[in-house]
Amino acid sequence: MALARMLSLSGHEVTVWSALPKVLEELRKTRRQKNLPNMEIPEEIEFNESIEEMCEDKDILLFAVPSVFVRSTAHQASSYVVDGQIIVDVAKGIEPDTLMTMSEVISSEIPQAKVVALSGPTHAEEVAKDLPTTIVAAYEDITVAEQVQSIFTNPVMRVYTNTDVKGVELCGALKNIIALASGISVGLGYGDNTKAALITRGLAEIERLGVKIGCLPETFRGLAGMGDLIVTATSKHSRNNRCGYFIGQGYDPQEAIKTVGMVVEGINAIPAAMTLAEKYDVEMPIMTTVDAVINHGADPREAVKELMGRDSKTELSKPILDLNYESAVMKNATLRTKGDQSMKRVITYGTFDLLHYGHINLLRRAKALGDYLIVAISSDEFNWNEKHKKCYFTYEQRKALVEAVRYVDLVIPEESWNQKRSDMHEYHIDTFVMGNDWKGKFDFLKEEGVEVVYLPRTPEISSSQIKHDLYDAASVEQSQTSHEDINTDPR
Ligand code: C2G
């Protein structure tokens, strides 16, 4: 209702549906939501019992139901949702038996929709008061996330985009468990030091699991991760925090939930968190302790003592040797460069479709010419409009592949033939490198003060060669199987 009010006040037409007709009746009559008594529901907001009508002609469908009702709600709506409909999910949680995040649950019921996760430090009580708030819209196609970004952006809401839906949703679900732990520590009479410890090490647990699942590390340092964890683990508005507090005070978990009187998503998320920790073999001591207290009757005070008594650990995620080696290389790089520059920067440009060893040979030799290699990858539009190349992989996919190459330090988009001159200055480039099929074509870049190097191409291999060979192989295979059919078919 807080988001409905915000969207309505920023000029959108908003209709609210609920599975409980009497709730709609009360909202219509009182124009108040019982958990947000001081928030007035704008007159322009309509209410509708028909989920079919709700799904007709909408720019977005916003799912804001408790995580345990997301599947049934999505199932009810599925047959009315049009192809390509953007659905925005703000429910946070993981389905215990399927381990699906909420957007995955909705997508499994409504495969024709594009489900965007919207998550971040956004307490409804503060959104209702128009207090400045930020949030992340996540979808693998950044342009769809940008559409949601524009709909939710207004003077009191700043929306950031992310493509790492899994990471954003994992944060949203698991941070509630850390908030329970934080509440328990306050209930036990512990102070801010303990709270800070639980937030910091709790986020480390979530990031460890997320990276194992393939999420982006920066997601956990972002608004859906760090941001939401801070606000949930420290705020009086947080139901998970309040529920934890009562448990720390000695309440039985079920009593504590009743006392809070609202959905405590952290408790719903514990079983899935434990299953994920086991499945991905990730140590999650804080969440395991919360599980012991909530679901296995462990005494909170004893549990904290156990946490504090664990064997000593390092904060570093990489083995010390790797880190020492990397810092030595960086230091060495500083020593090796000319003038005041911190390191020698090399750049190269290309499509890099169907990444093959010819590309890798080029990237390896380019990196050897300096300390930091930037690769400008041709965008889909640039490839199509300027290079008349139809790529097999999209820009995002080609970017992910090239970023995985250990010689590459940064990937940027190449959107026009003319960006090279300015790139040389923007990225403080020392050396520009291309395969020698481009020999002479970029000598003008010397005027920008950079070294221009053309490296011999790797003969015999190219993306077009790969496509050609595959096509030939497929057609040979095709003719063989049809030939075999004639021989083996009894008729
Ligand atoms: N390359 C190579 N050996 C191959 C194939 C490619 O050395 N067998 C090099 C190319 O010379 C180029 C880089 O790998 O330097 C990327 O190749 P493409 O993806 O084909 O790049 P191209 O289409 O040439 O685009 O503004 C410059 C353009 O974006 C370059």
Side-chain angles (χ1 to χ4, degrees):
M1 279 318 299
L3 286 175
R5 169 187 169 277
M6 182 194 78
L7 289 167
S8 173
L9 293 182
S10 51
H12 299 289
E13 280 174 50
V14 179
T15 309
V16 174
W17 175 85
S18 167
L20 311 171
K22 67 177 184 320
V23 165
L24 283 183
E25 210 25 62
E26 192 184 315
L27 288 167
R28 232 188 231 110
K29 205 163 71 252
T30 64
R31 307 300 299 184
R32 287 273 190 274
Q33 206 278 359
K34 65 180 183 337
N35 297 325
L36 297 167
N38 306 322
M39 182 187 84
E40 239 181 84
I41 296 176
E43 285 309 314
E44 296 74 9
I45 288 185
E46 291 173 16
F47 298 92
N48 190 329
E49 280 79 359
S50 155
I51 199 160
E52 180 175 357
E53 288 173 20
M54 285 301 287
C55 295
E56 277 159 16
D57 311 325
K58 300 288 186 307
D59 293 307
I60 59 161
L61 301 178
L62 175 59
F63 269 62
V65 296
S67 61
V68 288
F69 299 126
V70 166
R71 185 172 288 281
S72 54
T73 307
H75 183 75
Q76 231 184 311
S78 182
S79 50
Y80 308 122
V81 174
V82 297
D83 236 13
Q85 170 73 57
I86 293 180
I87 290 181
V88 175
D89 168 64
V90 292
K92 296 170 182 174
I94 297 177
E95 198 171 54
D97 47 331
T98 63
L99 298 181
M100 284 184 181
T101 58
M102 293 300 110
S103 72
E104 289 167 340
V105 168
I106 296 171
S107 295
S108 66
E109 294 291 340
I110 314 178
Q112 67 274 29
K114 296 174 185 170
V115 187
V116 178
L118 195 62
S119 182
T122 51
H123 276 308
E125 294 79 355
E126 296 186 6
V127 172
K129 288 188 240 163
D130 293 331
L131 302 183
T133 296
T134 55
I135 200 165
V136 177
Y139 188 70
E140 72 260 9
D141 175 348
I142 199 87
T143 56
V144 174
E146 284 164 352
Q147 277 176 261
V148 172
Q149 179 181 40
S150 59
I151 289 172
F152 281 80
T153 294
N154 59 59
V156 295
M157 173 76 80
R158 261 183 79 68
V159 184
Y160 289 78
T161 56
N162 194 325
T163 55
D164 178 18
V165 190
K166 190 79 174 186
V168 162
E169 292 196 289
L170 203 64
C171 289
L174 300 186
K175 54 99 191 170
N176 287 326
I177 304 173
I178 304 302
L180 276 170
S182 173
I184 292 172
S185 80
V186 174
L188 287 169
Y190 297 140
D192 293 340
N193 297 354
T194 317
K195 196 185 294 183
L198 290 165
I199 291 172
T200 311
R201 296 310 304 163
L203 187 59
E205 288 185 11
I206 299 174
E207 181 170 343
R208 255 202 311 274
L209 174 66
V211 169
K212 268 276 182 86
I213 294 179
C215 305
L216 299 177
E218 54 262 55
T219 301
F220 301 90
R221 296 191 286 278
L223 291 166
M226 168 82 81
D228 204 353
L229 185 53
I230 291 171
V231 91
T232 311
T234 59
S235 163
K236 61 185 182 308
H237 298 307
S238 159
R239 309 163 197 176
N240 296 283
N241 206 0
R242 278 215 305 282
C243 180
Y245 174 79
F246 292 124
I247 292 170
Q249 287 277 306
Y251 283 59
D252 163 84
Q254 292 315 318
E255 283 170 327
I257 294 172
K258 261 209 276 321
T259 315
V260 167
M262 289 188 269
V263 171
V264 182
E265 291 288 12
I267 293 197
N268 299 337
I270 293 175
M274 295 300 101
T275 313
L276 283 168
E278 201 179 324
K279 179 177 176 189
Y280 289 96
D281 185 24
V282 173
E283 213 192 356
M284 305 216 302
I286 296 173
M287 287 195 238
T288 308
T289 303
V290 173
D291 178 40
V293 169
I294 302 275
N295 298 319
H296 307 293
D299 171 68
R301 203 170 291 281
E302 283 314 307
V304 174
K305 281 204 187 93
E306 241 175 79
L307 267 179
M308 292 300 287
R310 291 174 59 245
D311 51 339
S312 302
K313 297 272 181 174
T314 172
E315 269 202 328
L316 300 174
S317 54
K318 276 188 176 177
I320 307 282
L321 283 179
D322 285 15
L323 288 164
N324 288 344
Y325 168 73
E326 278 174 11
S327 63
V329 166
M330 299 302 268
K331 280 199 201 82
N332 181 28
T334 314
L335 295 175
R336 185 152 42 120
T337 54
K338 64 181 191 295
D340 59 353
Q341 294 222 335
S342 58
M343 60 172 73
K344 205 156 177 248
R345 294 168 182 263
V346 182
I347 194 167
T348 189
Y349 294 70
T351 304
F352 295 99
D353 191 31
L354 297 180
L355 193 65
H356 54 65
Y357 64 85
H359 296 135
I360 303 302
N361 284 345
L362 186 284
L363 296 172
R364 189 190 65 255
R365 287 174 293 163
K367 177 62 176 276
L369 293 172
D371 306 294
Y372 189 91
L373 174 61
I374 298 174
V375 183
I377 293 190
S378 313
S379 67
D380 295 329
E381 298 75 17
F382 179 54
N383 268 315
W384 185 242
N385 301 330
E386 299 297 326
K387 297 165 88 173
H388 312 301
K389 279 187 176 181
K390 180 90 184 73
C391 285
Y392 182 80
F393 289 128
T394 65
Y395 170 75
E396 288 299 329
Q397 291 160 340
R398 289 178 285 121
K399 176 173 183 283
L401 280 163
V402 171
E403 273 172 347
V405 175
R406 65 188 171 93
Y407 306 119
V408 176
D409 296 290
L410 176 69
V411 169
I412 60 171
E414 177 185 29
E415 288 155 323
S416 92
W417 289 114
N418 323 317
Q419 70 182 70
K420 293 187 177 70
R421 280 187 190 278
S422 55
D423 285 353
M424 298 308 130
H425 301 287
E426 188 180 344
Y427 296 98
H428 310 294
I429 299 299
D430 297 287
T431 306
F432 166 88
V433 173
M434 283 304 291
N436 62 6
D437 45 318
W438 292 90
K439 192 160 183 55
K441 295 284 189 316
F442 300 112
D443 291 352
F444 63 86
L445 288 172
K446 289 174 186 162
E447 296 154 23
E448 306 303 327
V450 301
E451 188 190 6
V452 175
V453 176
Y454 299 103
L455 297 171
R457 274 174 71 91
T458 305
E460 99 274 342
I461 182 76
S462 71
S463 314
S464 37
Q465 183 69 41
I466 294 171
K467 290 177 192 170
H468 186 267
D469 293 351
L470 287 174
Y471 179 77
D472 283 356
S475 40
V476 164
E477 206 175 289
Q478 184 66 28
S479 62
Q480 268 171 354
T481 41
S482 54
H483 185 65
E484 273 154 26
D485 280 356
I486 296 167
N487 288 346
T488 51
D489 182 327
R491 283 173 297 170

